[in-house]
Amino acid sequence: MEQEQSGLDKILSLRREASAEIVNVDEPTLKLVIFELGGEWFAFPGEAIREILPQVDIFFVPGCPASLEGVINVRGDIESVIGLAELLGKPAAHTAQPSSILRGHGGGMHSGIRVERVVDVLDVVQSAIQPPPSTLPEHMRHIVSGLMRHQEVPVVILDLNRIFEDYHRGLG
Amino acid sequence: MPLPEALEVVSFMAGGYRCAVEAEQVRTQLPAQDSASVPTAEQLLGLPCDETQNARRTLLLKHPAGDYAVTVSDPVELRGLQIDTIYPLPPLIAARNRLVGLRGLALDAEGVTLLVDFLEARAGAR
């Protein structure tokens, strides 16, 4: 005759199942920094982002394209700041609006990237990331590395190496 | 040889922006010469025309082939820029900036100073 499970047995059994589930999803993950621009969500791989800075003063440098907003002073060093909205074909957020600056590196360069708001920083299992759809606009195809959903919102994952390299070559 | 603590520069305004040139490039400062043959700093560097009412002055700059003049806006000052406020251009700015002769930036409590080289600007303007 099968013995009825005690309360402790049930708890231990549930805990074992929970552990088993954790093992099941123990697959490669990717850290992402998710941010908002023009009402849409985008992300950079966490390895490309050194730091997230709150609103800091941006010093204008004449002679640059409008998307190159100036320089910031980061603990005694300076970095350029690009406005990502314009590169992605979104309306440029005014520099006076609250925003965050991501200190990114890619393509052998580093620069600040101004975004409207950082939504989240999280680890995502790689199977949750879909390849870029063929319906992407032409100007996005080269710089999008994947697509996922977070909190039911689509998130476009961007390749910072390509963004910086293209920008350095005069594109964007 | 250890670096000096400060770089002597002649600072001036051009196109509404604070600029500076190494003092060793400057022979002297003259009253503004009202002559179309004297190029303005704005023309050489590619800055917008100066719309301020600041007085104009002429800098006489050293050149192996003979000194040459450039007009700039007041205030024109000889000053020392602390070395730790001087930076090379960040790579994206170096790649995308259209000013001619922009060599670096100084960033201090007064904001940004454009560090320019008129020899390079003059060569680029030809």
Side-chain angles (χ1 to χ4, degrees):
Chain A
M1 190 177 127
E2 199 172 304
Q3 272 192 322
E4 195 176 329
Q5 280 191 315
S6 70
L8 178 61
D9 289 335
K10 286 177 184 170
I11 289 168
L12 292 174
S13 175
L14 283 171
R15 297 291 287 165
R16 273 187 212 104
E17 285 170 21
S19 300
E21 281 172 12
I22 289 167
V23 170
N24 286 341
V25 294
D26 190 14
E27 59 173 291
T29 59
L30 180 66
K31 188 175 288 296
L32 290 175
V33 178
I34 300 175
F35 56 91
E36 185 172 353
L37 267 180
E40 293 180 51
W41 288 10
F42 298 89
F44 285 124
E47 64 186 15
I49 303 299
R50 292 175 170 177
E51 188 177 8
I52 300 168
L53 300 172
Q55 180 75 4
V56 292
D57 290 335
I58 301 175
F59 298 92
F60 179 73
V61 177
C64 295
S67 52
L68 194 38
E69 297 180 351
V71 294
I72 52 171
N73 187 341
V74 187
R75 294 182 289 278
D77 201 0
I78 66 168
E79 275 189 10
S80 54
V81 176
I82 58 174
L84 195 57
E86 283 158 298
L87 298 188
L88 300 179
K90 308 278 172 207
H94 195 273
T95 50
Q97 285 180 353
S99 55
S100 294
I101 293 177
L102 311 179
R103 293 184 65 209
H105 59 98
M109 291 162 272
H110 50 86
S111 176
I113 305 149
R114 192 164 68 83
V115 303
E116 287 171 16
R117 176 175 78 95
V118 174
V119 174
D120 208 346
V121 179
L122 75 166
D123 292 313
V124 177
V125 290
Q126 289 193 343
S127 61
I129 298 171
Q130 305 298 314
S134 57
T135 52
L136 275 176
E138 179 71 33
H139 70 280
M140 297 282 285
R141 279 182 202 159
H142 185 60
I143 57 172
V144 173
S145 60
L147 208 62
M148 58 164 282
R149 294 186 81 83
H150 178 58
Q151 298 172 4
E152 301 306 312
V153 179
V155 179
V156 177
I157 303 167
L158 300 170
D159 184 332
L160 195 54
N161 283 318
R162 285 183 173 171
I163 289 175
F164 280 176
E165 284 166 1
D166 285 357
Y167 200 74
H168 191 266
R169 285 189 294 134
L171 307 174
Chain B
M1 198 171 89
L3 284 171
E5 283 184 12
L7 177 71
E8 275 223 320
V9 297
V10 174
S11 69
F12 56 90
M13 297 296 287
Y17 300 100
R18 187 159 356 102
C19 304
V21 60
E22 271 190 86
E24 67 177 27
Q25 285 192 16
V26 181
R27 177 87 58 202
T28 188
Q29 181 196 157
L30 305 167
Q33 295 176 3
D34 192 16
S35 165
S37 65
V38 177
T40 66
E42 290 83 356
Q43 287 170 333
L44 284 177
L45 301 172
L47 284 166
C49 291
D50 195 342
E51 293 175 356
T52 65
Q53 300 300 312
N54 292 358
R56 300 287 289 183
R57 294 185 186 277
T58 299
L59 297 180
L60 193 60
L61 295 143
K62 298 174 192 171
H63 191 279
D67 294 350
Y68 64 97
V70 176
T71 64
V72 299
S73 290
D74 259 348
V76 178
E77 297 170 327
L78 178 66
R79 54 192 280 227
L81 277 181
Q82 293 300 305
I83 296 295
D84 59 5
T85 67
I86 296 173
Y87 302 94
L89 297 175
L92 293 181
I93 290 190
R96 300 293 302 268
N97 192 280
R98 292 194 190 90
L99 300 187
V100 187
L102 179 64
R103 297 288 308 282
L105 300 171
L107 192 58
D108 58 20
E110 293 177 50
V112 169
T113 300
L114 309 175
L115 302 175
V116 301
D117 181 343
F118 279 117
L119 288 177
E120 197 178 308
R122 207 157 165 255
R126 285 198 185 119

